[in-house]
Amino acid sequence: MTAELVRGQNHPLSESRLQIRVSAGQPVVVAATLGDADGRVRGADWVAHPASPRLAGLEVSRQAAAEHRLAVDLDALPEAAHRVHVLLALPSASGPARFGGLAAPFLAVTGTDGTEVVSYTVTGLEAESAVVALELYRRQGAWKVRAVGQGYADGLAALLGDHGLDRAAELAAAVDEAVAQGAARAVAPPPARVTGGDSARRVAQAGGGGPADDRTDNRAGDRTGDRAADGLAGHDPVPGNGGTAPAPASGPISYRHPGRRTSAPPEPAPAPPAAQPGQPHQPVAGDATGWTMDERLYNQIWGMFEDLARATAAYRSAVDFAESRLEQELDRVLSDPRTRVGPAADAAREEARAKQAELVDQARGVLDRDLDRLVAEAEVVEHALPPAFARWDNPVWQGYQVPLETPMALRLGDLHLPERRELRIPMLVRLPLERGLWIDSGRGGGGVDASLVDSAERRRLALDCAVAHAVRLLAVHPVGDYSVHIIDPGGTAGAALAPLLEHGALKEPPAAGARGVTQVLERLTQRVDLVQMAVRSGAVDSLPPDLDTAEQLLVVHDFPHGFDDRAVTQLRYLADEGPSVGVHLMMVADREDARGYGPVLDPLWRSLLRVTPVPDDHLADPWVGHAWTYEPSLPPARSEVVRQVLWQVGQARRAYGM
């Protein structure tokens, strides 16, 4: 399964010969630099760029393009090279002058057979015209890839200079000249012959199914095109034609997915019933692309999230425009002393305010229409979700059975915006977890509800959240595929953890005291080391027979009580290296309690996905600038659903002799 990286995250590389695909909405220049153990570029001969595209073990494109493929052979790199940086830059001769003016670049690292290893969408760029997108680096003889996303507003020259390259400006100028010469030599391909039916199909694939006002009615094509353009939900852009593959002029159409080894086409999504004249569109669960119902529901939820983000961004932009227009008209009235006071001035002010109110009302009407459709769709989708995607109050849990395979994603909670608080979008994360979880039991949140909860209650709710997430993870995995370990140094979580112990969901009681902390961390650290060594050497079959090969979840409560410096180092190691070999971390902690460690723990907090036990608007959306309010997924008060699910899990474990 492809690992979708976020900025700062790394992932091991098991192959030495790789391809790196780059997709952008506009032509970009791709280059690569080699770095020594200190990260410095020793000279211009350690830079692959359009004017000199080949180095030992590395080759880049000769000109600017919207799609690139880089070839990398890690074994053929110079012995002194410990790092490879993949660079993106905007051509200075044409196109936008900053990455903020085009779609977020998407990169995918693949093996020689085309199988994706990792992908990364470079978000958050604004005024930058050059960026370090990815870093391949060697540590202890093994190669890894890290998502960097470091931008430079002063362009390629500043980027190269920051890597220690002398005469960086001259090299950047040589790159620009080579790109300009390549553009002059390029010959545009003839336009593809497209029949009427193929043209309609291409429009649907590109998201051009209708005007913006009819976005919801044409949602299947709209969302597919949007995700293909920016690499969301694992869909890669297709080279050429603005992200859409040109249809063949003749011959049969192949429905084979290039990344899937199957000859059967995907089962089509159910067609929505035709709306009668004057009746609203009826939403349908699974109204998205995908090979299974779960995948279609996952993609549909992604589409709902994108629709809500776009609709809200358009509304806020319209309100800002109305406010700025009001200010301009009022300034114009006040700038003339003859119209500053008197009945004419009052009438002009009233007219300006009326225009502003009219614009806001029109924008709100469009927003309400779009949100009403999304509310109706969310209601239909919610009742069709499988247990891994569903809320705890969903009836699907009443008929829960232990699954036979791991789902593609897991629900951590809900997301909503202040424009329509009752419209909740499920927050899904892909499985296996690529980052650990940090359930923040402190008071650092900015939500309204956070200020109404005292410290003791917030800590209790944080522990309840951890138990609910752990139970959900156990419930959605097949029997024996997931194990949970708990560190509770002070022994204060006994009441909350009682259901896990009663029904046999834990192999051993929670570890208490400094000795218990040390034993659990030593055992999991050793497991990570053994599996990493086995994977690197290709000797997975030689692992000890008593090694638990199931995914491991470590729940840490009351951190940093009971942790010495060695234990803290091991915890950081598990957070960084554990997810790649099936060891995941869930911390229930208040950052203020660990302030004595200073900046030593900053990398630990940054490596974890922060969630809160109460609604909080801490999740930022760099694409449209929204602050999403996160609400945790907790069982209803006095509900027995968690105990019922744990009973089923315990029965299955006992049936298998676990």
Side-chain angles (χ1 to χ4, degrees):
M1 182 180 292
T2 304
E4 300 174 3
L5 302 184
V6 297
R7 181 174 297 176
Q9 193 176 8
N10 59 48
H11 192 276
L13 295 173
S14 58
E15 300 183 39
S16 60
R17 300 185 66 184
L18 305 166
Q19 281 191 349
I20 301 177
R21 301 201 316 268
V22 180
S23 301
Q26 297 285 339
V28 297
V29 179
V30 174
T33 63
L34 302 179
D36 56 19
D38 297 326
R40 294 182 62 85
V41 181
R42 295 189 174 181
D45 55 343
W46 271 30
V47 182
H49 53 84
S52 178
R54 292 184 179 178
L55 297 179
L58 186 63
E59 183 175 2
V60 301
S61 304
R62 293 180 176 271
Q63 60 186 22
E67 305 285 339
H68 291 267
R69 289 181 182 268
L70 285 71
V72 182
D73 187 349
L74 299 175
D75 292 339
L77 295 176
E79 184 66 26
H82 289 257
R83 302 170 188 266
V84 179
H85 288 106
V86 179
L87 319 178
L88 309 181
L90 295 175
S92 59
S94 61
R98 61 188 186 90
F99 276 104
L102 53 106
F106 174 81
L107 296 95
V109 179
T110 71
T112 53
D113 60 352
T115 303
E116 282 192 12
V117 181
V118 301
S119 63
Y120 173 46
T121 302
V122 190
T123 59
L125 300 177
E126 290 295 339
E128 296 87 345
S129 58
V131 60
V132 181
L134 290 177
E135 178 188 39
L136 312 181
Y137 63 98
R138 180 166 51 191
R139 178 177 294 174
Q140 298 178 353
W143 284 90
K144 296 184 178 183
V145 57
R146 176 185 290 121
V148 181
Q150 176 64 51
Y152 292 80
D154 294 331
L156 186 60
L159 188 156
L160 296 174
D162 196 39
H163 283 69
L165 188 66
D166 296 333
R167 307 173 70 177
E170 296 182 11
L171 182 56
V175 171
D176 287 339
E177 182 179 356
V179 170
Q181 292 176 354
R185 291 192 302 266
V187 178
R193 294 170 55 195
V194 180
T195 64
D198 291 339
S199 177
R201 180 167 53 254
R202 287 171 57 186
V203 169
Q205 290 174 349
D213 289 347
D214 296 331
R215 177 178 57 254
T216 308
D217 294 341
N218 298 283
R219 187 163 290 126
D222 207 9
R223 290 174 179 167
T224 305
D226 290 335
R227 279 193 297 278
D230 56 21
L232 289 171
H235 292 273
D236 298 334
V238 183
N241 199 26
T244 306
S250 61
I253 299 174
S254 174
Y255 292 97
R256 182 189 298 272
H257 192 288
R260 300 185 187 273
R261 297 180 180 179
T262 178
S263 58
E267 181 183 352
Q276 298 297 326
Q279 292 184 354
H281 171 77
Q282 298 298 321
V284 175
D287 186 14
T289 58
W291 288 73
T292 65
M293 187 61 178
D294 286 2
E295 186 176 0
R296 293 201 295 269
L297 288 169
Y298 176 85
N299 290 338
Q300 186 173 11
I301 290 172
W302 254 111
M304 292 163 57
F305 173 83
E306 294 168 5
D307 284 352
L308 177 56
R310 282 196 299 264
T312 305
Y315 167 71
R316 293 180 181 180
S317 177
V319 171
D320 291 342
F321 170 76
E323 293 290 344
S324 64
R325 179 173 175 175
L326 174 63
E327 292 178 1
Q328 293 174 2
E329 293 185 357
L330 292 179
D331 289 343
R332 189 159 49 248
V333 172
L334 295 176
S335 63
D336 189 349
R338 295 171 297 179
T339 60
R340 189 173 301 172
V341 294
D346 294 339
R349 293 190 187 94
E350 289 300 326
E351 182 181 0
R353 293 190 179 96
K355 291 180 181 179
Q356 184 260 350
E358 181 181 3
L359 290 174
V360 172
D361 290 343
Q362 289 178 354
R364 186 69 206 196
V366 173
L367 176 68
D368 288 341
R369 181 202 61 197
D370 290 342
L371 297 191
D372 288 342
R373 293 175 177 177
L374 284 174
V375 168
E377 183 178 13
E379 182 69 20
V380 172
V381 169
E382 186 65 44
H383 291 290
L385 295 179
F389 297 1
R391 293 196 306 253
W392 283 111
D393 59 356
N394 193 308
V396 72
W397 286 107
Q398 304 304 320
Y400 166 77
Q401 296 292 330
V402 178
L404 298 178
E405 59 181 16
T406 303
M408 64 182 301
L410 183 86
R411 185 173 190 159
L412 288 183
D414 294 330
L415 300 174
H416 62 85
L417 292 172
E419 281 75 8
R420 187 70 67 90
R421 295 184 181 276
E422 67 272 19
L423 175 55
R424 308 297 175 89
I425 305 297
M427 178 180 173
L428 305 180
V429 294
R430 297 296 292 264
L431 290 179
L433 295 174
E434 297 167 4
R435 300 174 64 188
L437 300 177
W438 166 30
I439 303 175
D440 189 359
S441 60
R443 298 181 58 86
V448 176
D449 295 338
S451 61
L452 303 178
V453 181
D454 61 25
S455 177
E457 178 67 9
R458 188 179 178 105
R459 290 176 184 269
R460 184 191 68 80
L461 290 174
L463 185 56
D464 290 344
C465 280
V467 172
H469 292 324
V471 172
R472 185 183 288 264
L473 283 164
L474 280 170
V476 303
H477 283 84
V479 179
D481 282 9
Y482 214 82
S483 298
V484 176
H485 310 269
I486 297 179
I487 291 179
D488 183 23
T492 59
L497 301 176
L500 291 169
L501 290 169
E502 291 174 5
H503 299 287
L506 299 180
K507 289 186 176 181
E508 56 191 13
R515 182 177 180 181
V517 172
T518 301
Q519 291 176 346
V520 173
L521 292 178
E522 287 284 356
R523 186 165 66 249
L524 291 179
T525 301
Q526 183 182 26
R527 183 192 185 280
V528 171
D529 290 338
L530 287 174
V531 176
Q532 280 189 338
M533 288 188 292
V535 171
R536 291 169 183 168
S537 60
V540 179
D541 295 338
S542 64
L543 287 170
D546 59 342
L547 183 74
D548 186 2
T549 57
E551 297 274 320
Q552 310 287 314
L553 175 67
L554 174 61
V555 181
V556 179
H557 178 246
D558 205 16
F559 177 81
H561 180 70
F563 283 75
D564 55 18
D565 290 344
R566 176 176 173 79
V568 169
T569 301
Q570 290 175 323
L571 196 66
R572 289 183 54 186
Y573 176 74
L574 291 178
D576 290 338
E577 306 295 337
S580 63
V581 291
V583 178
H584 311 285
L585 182 62
M586 182 190 298
M587 292 188 60
V588 185
D590 181 359
R591 190 169 183 172
E592 284 299 311
D593 293 343
R595 63 182 180 275
Y597 286 94
V600 174
L601 289 180
D602 287 350
L604 173 64
W605 305 120
R606 287 196 298 266
S607 68
L608 303 175
L609 173 62
R610 176 177 174 253
V611 295
T612 54
V614 295
D616 191 273
D617 57 354
H618 67 281
L619 292 177
D621 186 347
W623 189 257
V624 290
H626 298 333
W628 291 84
T629 297
Y630 166 80
E631 187 167 334
S633 179
L634 291 173
R638 296 182 294 278
S639 172
E640 293 294 321
V641 62
V642 170
R643 289 182 178 272
Q644 293 172 5
V645 170
L646 281 176
W647 182 85
Q648 291 272 17
V649 173
Q651 289 287 97
R653 292 173 69 92
R654 284 188 287 272
Y656 281 85
M658 298 180 182

